[in-house]
Amino acid sequence: MTLDNINRAAVDRIIRVDHAGEYGANRIYAGQMAVLGRTSVGPVIQKMWDQEKEHLKKFSELMVAFRVRPTVLMPFWNVVGFALGAGTALLGREGAMACTVAVEESIAHHYNNQIRTLMDEDPEKYKELLQVIKKFRDEELEHHDIGLEHDAELAPAYAVLKKAIQAGCSAAIYLSERF
């Protein structure tokens, strides 16, 4: 992929929002680890966080390669992500896992939309970016399943919590694509 044969607006939007999302995910896991890091679920959260660190690293590299500016909302996502992670972890292991399920389900849906967009435009032109997004989507779905395996659905008010977190994810995606 070169800079001169791409839909610049679409690629900028995709890389900016995905970078912001992976940054937010890192902050969520940091908050969860601050509360639950020394519990039995700590290693599970750490493993997912380690994958998110790799995702963030890749999107940081893509931002430089394609000269994409980060969202101006990074300081906000820093605080909100950590607060969401720590806040849900204070509900216990189930609360942290409910957060993971909600966020990862939202992100997988978001990545699928991006995959469709790039496939409709030109799958060969966006081959590298599609490979990255597909790989990360699959890893996000693994995190979703891990959350379910670790009793996410037993969190207090699970359905309400999940819907509220997903509404926040939708707002974050919308805002980070644009600002």
Side-chain angles (χ1 to χ4, degrees):
M1 230 165 53
T2 63
L3 289 174
D4 40 327
N5 71 345
I6 61 171
N7 177 337
R8 188 67 205 203
V11 170
D12 282 8
R13 190 173 59 250
I14 287 170
I15 293 173
R16 179 174 23 267
V17 72
D18 290 355
H19 175 264
E22 297 300 348
Y23 180 78
N26 270 270
R27 298 305 297 149
I28 290 168
Y29 284 118
Q32 290 180 350
M33 286 299 288
V35 175
L36 297 172
R38 294 179 186 258
T39 69
S40 62
V41 77
V44 174
I45 295 169
Q46 184 65 57
K47 184 176 179 194
M48 293 187 289
W49 188 14
D50 289 344
Q51 283 186 312
E52 299 295 348
K53 289 175 184 177
E54 289 301 313
H55 297 179
L56 179 58
K57 180 178 179 225
K58 181 61 178 178
F59 278 112
S60 294
E61 292 167 359
L62 289 172
M63 288 184 77
V64 172
F66 289 94
R67 299 185 206 138
V68 176
R69 69 162 177 81
T71 176
V72 299
L73 299 168
M74 292 295 280
F76 184 68
W77 301 146
N78 178 31
V79 174
V80 171
F82 189 89
L84 178 60
T88 55
L90 288 170
L91 297 173
R93 163 176 79 98
E94 296 86 358
M97 292 298 146
C99 178
T100 297
V101 168
V103 170
E104 303 297 19
E105 189 174 292
S106 294
I107 300 311
H109 176 74
H110 169 70
Y111 278 159
N112 281 334
N113 288 339
Q114 289 180 340
I115 291 165
R116 277 190 289 280
T117 297
L118 295 173
M119 292 293 288
D120 288 347
E121 187 158 333
D122 187 341
E124 193 55 40
K125 187 189 312 182
Y126 300 106
K127 184 178 178 180
E128 176 192 348
L129 187 55
L130 281 163
Q131 287 173 339
V132 169
I133 294 171
K134 287 176 183 178
K135 177 181 187 294
F136 292 174
R137 182 228 22 225
D138 293 347
E139 290 175 359
E140 306 299 4
L141 288 170
E142 287 174 18
H143 299 172
H144 170 273
D145 294 347
I146 290 167
L148 290 175
E149 291 166 9
H150 286 84
D151 301 325
E153 295 169 308
L154 299 179
Y158 172 75
V160 174
L161 182 62
K162 182 180 174 192
K163 288 286 183 198
I165 292 169
Q166 289 182 326
C169 288
S170 294
I173 289 166
Y174 178 86
L175 292 170
S176 293
E177 282 179 333
R178 288 157 179 79
F179 302 107

